[in-house]
Amino acid sequence: GGVRAPPHFLGKGKQYNISMDMWLPVSGMTLLEEEEMPEFVTSPSSYVALRNVLLERWHAESSREYTEEQAQRDAPMVFQHPAAQRLAVQRVHSFLTTYGHINSG
């Protein structure tokens, strides 16, 4: 909880990112993320882009369940092939839900 300042009030050169609140690296993967989703280890920026957007969207309305369907609509396109994109979003949403980063509390 607590009130968070908008990004431009965090100090010189610093931008707020929701992953900081979750003890997750802003631009990389944790060891647990790498172990649970090895398919993203070779393209961690794709995973991080998906993860951070899903975290931000759930955090914006954390009193409501953030469904996989909503995540599919909100997720940035990180894969060209639609099936790969859908699977990636499904995996990231599932991971974040399983480990209590979204849809908890």
Side-chain angles (χ1 to χ4, degrees), residues 71-101:
Q72 293 288 352
R73 284 194 305 266
D74 294 340
M77 289 298 294
V78 296
F79 293 101
Q80 295 288 332
H81 194 277
Q85 174 72 16
R86 279 192 305 278
L87 181 59
V89 173
Q90 177 185 30
R91 296 268 294 133
V92 174
H93 181 272
S94 178
F95 175 85
L96 294 174
T97 301
T98 298
Y99 287 96
H101 294 298

Side-chain angles (χ1 to χ4, degrees), residues 33-80:
E33 289 171 319
E34 290 177 357
E35 290 173 353
E36 293 286 323
M37 291 172 290
E39 67 270 26
F40 288 108
V41 172
T42 58
S43 61
S45 61
S46 297
Y47 170 77
V48 169
L50 291 173
R51 179 195 70 197
N52 290 350
V53 166
L54 271 56
L55 287 172
E56 289 168 6
R57 297 293 160 79
W58 177 75
H59 192 70
E61 291 189 68
S62 59
S63 63
R64 299 174 60 165
E65 180 185 7
Y66 186 62
T67 66
E68 183 191 327
E69 183 178 295
Q70 290 169 306
Q72 293 288 352
R73 284 194 305 266
D74 294 340
M77 289 298 294
V78 296
F79 293 101
Q80 295 288 332

Side-chain angles (χ1 to χ4, degrees), residues 4-18:
R4 221 178 334 280
H8 58 281
F9 291 126
L10 288 180
K12 186 176 182 180
K14 295 182 181 177
Q15 177 132 0
Y16 174 74
N17 187 299
I18 190 65

Side-chain angles (χ1 to χ4, degrees), residues 18-25 30 101:
I18 190 65
S19 61
M20 289 186 251
D21 274 2
M22 307 292 179
W23 299 98
L24 297 170
T30 64
H101 294 298

